[in-house]
Amino acid sequence: MDAQGRGRVENIDPADQWVLNPDTGEYELRLTPSAPQSAVPGPRRRGTRAAGGAPSPEAPSDSRTTAPERDAPEVPGPRRRRGVPEEPSPSRRGRRPAKKSKTKKVLLWTGGVMAFVLVGTAGAAYLYLEHLNDNITSVSDDGASTGGFSKDKAINLLVIGTDKRTGSGNEGYGDSGSVGHADTTILLHVSKDRTNATALSIPRDLIVDVPDCPTEQEDGTSEIIKGTQGVRFNTSLGQDGRTPSCTMRTVTELTGVTPDNFMVADFNAVKTLTTAVDGVEVCLAKDIDDPDSHLKLSEGTHTVQGEQALAFLRTRHSVGFGGDLSRIAIQQQFLGSLMRKLKSNDTLTSPTKMIKLAEAGTKALTVDSQLDSITKLKDLGLELGKLNTKNLTFTTVPVVDNPAEKVKSTVVLNETTAPTVFQMIQDDVSFTEVKQQAKASKDAAAAAAAARLKGTQSAASEVRVQVMNGGAKAGSAQATLSWLQNDEGVTKSENAGNAPAALARTTLEYGPEQADQARKLAAIMGLPGTALKPGESVTNSQGLPTMTLTLGKDFKGAGVSLTAPTTVPDTVDKSTADKVECAK
């Protein structure tokens, strides 16, 4: 049907009839005021469900019917939240908005492009709902996630690229019969205040322990796939029937961070998504001719898409030291370039390009069961879109060559620097300096917490404290008590058993007269100022006032500092998404 519902018009691209309304942040069909307005592009297929959930009937064929609503197939509009007013009339939509409003709305649309190309295409799905819902493939998270991201918390998204050779055109890439591996894995952490993010690449050849993985089978039953110790990280997916939820569990074991959601892309996803954005610009510091990945490019800047983009992401023998770590650097450069393009060109204001992105993205990706609708993907995209690319840091899990190997083919954790990187992500600490006025209150709170550590400290022998377990590993309270008494001279301490409720973080509560004791115990245990809670003292078994140390879920053991690192070690390589870098 044409835009007026009066007959069939051939060779019209529905996307060309859609324009961005900066007042609403939505795309709308360019119609005359007398025609009905739709919230999604293109006609709905017959037999699909309307927004209310019931099947849409076919339009009557009575030629005497003149109402456009009866002539045109019904398409669903976006679900309105309660309290949101009706859409403005067509005449109001014709008003020219203020330039500032347009800028704001365009920036909101960048919510569709901030988790690399993956979440980027999900945000583009803002355009049409039910059709794109049919495109989405989801698999169970098997209880390995947090239950899904929250708008009021930091976000941890696991992005997995598998080397599974599926679809036509991929037969020439290595083992065509492979069930696939976790070939490219990135843990994307977005801060609670959305001012910064860290994209942590996990080397596929990193030696890890893969835990037991409860996994939903095709018939709906659950089977526990036995874990293995001392194996490559990439075996956490595909091997022995492992699904992405097992990769998620392995990441949690490795980093201490539980992902909220996961997304998986295969070879076809790379090709279709890069084609949908009309290519991604890459830079080479030298000529590359890699027969293994089929990449042949000269020194300088190139725009790659489809097969060539896949070859660029797969190359490793012709860059750096020729290993997987060199390929990770290539991937990070590519993703940074992709985001710069989507943030700077006209993609977000082009209905045609947005539709191509939405179609390609929802068909190419597999998501977890907590992220299985366009509404959820759109909400995630809008949260990620609040981030400025200059505050997105790419880094890699710090590793060293495996000392157990004569011929170096795998790597192990760098125990000197890796714990700091993991801790910074756990504690939502930015890897880049973030300057903005909104941080003023947060900085003031941090200054107040730091002030609690300043001042005189009592002798260790004068510190009176009772130790309680509030979520730490079983036996932690007794182990800490023994360490305090035997190693640190805190003899006036006792075990008070389990706390009434579990705590996420360790706390030390004390009365006003015990501030000097609190500072001493904080220094001994490595407690941050935020762990100190001025309040009231309690009475110990001798009837004397005492402090209460409650060991939370963050407690790692007696003598292990809980003070969060604030800077990345100098030896850790990192880059930000706003910088142009050339592969060497």
Side-chain angles (χ1 to χ4, degrees), residues 267-347:
F267 282 1
N268 280 332
V270 173
K271 294 189 287 187
T272 59
L273 292 170
T274 55
T275 300
V277 298
D278 296 332
V280 176
E281 187 175 276
V282 297
C283 180
L284 299 177
K286 62 181 181 181
D287 295 345
I288 288 183
D289 187 356
D290 185 351
D292 293 318
S293 69
H294 311 300
L295 179 68
K296 186 174 183 179
L297 289 174
S298 60
E299 176 185 347
T301 301
H302 302 270
T303 298
V304 297
Q305 62 178 289
E307 292 284 351
Q308 196 173 43
L310 179 60
F312 181 85
L313 289 172
R314 294 184 67 245
T315 191
R316 58 183 175 125
H317 298 299
S318 299
V319 294
F321 294 102
D324 186 48
L325 296 180
S326 298
R327 183 170 63 172
I328 286 176
I330 281 275
Q331 294 165 350
Q332 292 174 347
Q333 180 216 119
F334 181 89
L335 294 171
S337 177
L338 172 63
M339 285 183 288
R340 289 194 302 273
K341 175 175 181 178
L342 290 173
K343 293 275 281 186
S344 63
N345 71 4
D346 62 349
T347 300

Side-chain angles (χ1 to χ4, degrees), residues 84-267:
V84 177
E86 294 285 340
E87 294 234 35
S89 66
S91 60
R92 288 183 59 195
R93 285 177 176 160
R95 295 176 183 173
R96 182 177 296 277
K99 186 173 182 180
K100 181 177 181 181
S101 174
K102 179 177 180 180
T103 301
K104 180 179 179 181
K105 294 302 180 182
V106 170
L107 287 176
L108 283 177
W109 273 84
T110 63
V113 297
M114 288 315 304
F116 318 130
V117 71
L118 306 179
V119 174
T121 55
Y126 207 90
L127 295 174
Y128 45 148
L129 306 178
E130 299 298 333
H131 165 66
L132 293 177
N133 273 327
D134 293 340
N135 288 348
I136 297 173
T137 300
S138 66
V139 295
S140 176
D141 69 348
D142 297 311
S145 75
T146 62
F149 77 95
S150 298
K151 293 182 179 180
D152 59 346
K153 296 180 180 178
I155 295 174
N156 292 296
L157 177 68
L158 190 63
V159 181
I160 307 170
T162 175
D163 59 354
K164 186 175 182 179
R165 278 71 169 166
T166 57
S168 61
N170 294 321
E171 298 84 359
Y173 297 115
D175 182 6
S176 60
S178 172
V179 293
H181 304 77
D183 196 51
T184 299
T185 306
I186 297 176
L187 177 62
L188 175 65
H189 171 84
V190 183
S191 67
K192 180 179 179 179
D193 62 8
R194 308 296 187 252
T195 63
N196 64 91
T198 301
L200 179 69
S201 293
I202 303 176
R204 67 176 190 179
D205 296 327
L206 174 63
I207 297 299
V208 298
D209 293 337
V210 177
D212 291 348
C213 297
T215 306
E216 182 178 301
Q217 305 299 301
E218 290 185 2
D219 61 2
T221 61
S222 182
E223 175 184 335
I224 296 179
I225 299 176
K226 289 296 183 182
T228 50
Q229 286 69 50
V231 294
R232 280 179 166 88
F233 175 84
N234 68 351
T235 62
S236 64
L237 177 67
Q239 311 307 299
D240 301 320
R242 293 179 178 130
T243 65
S245 68
C246 195
T247 304
M248 185 178 277
R249 294 185 191 277
T250 305
V251 169
T252 301
E253 290 284 325
L254 173 68
T255 67
V257 178
T258 302
D260 301 305
N261 299 99
F262 65 70
M263 288 184 168
V264 183
D266 60 14
F267 282 1

Side-chain angles (χ1 to χ4, degrees), residues 116 155-157 186-191 195-201 387 391-396 421 424-425 428-432 568 574-575:
F116 318 130
I155 295 174
N156 292 296
L157 177 68
I186 297 176
L187 177 62
L188 175 65
H189 171 84
V190 183
S191 67
T195 63
N196 64 91
T198 301
L200 179 69
S201 293
L387 177 70
N391 293 326
L392 168 59
T393 302
F394 289 106
T395 191
T396 304
V421 170
M424 290 180 68
I425 294 176
D428 199 21
V429 178
S430 175
F431 278 53
T432 185
V568 186
K574 61 187 181 74
S575 61

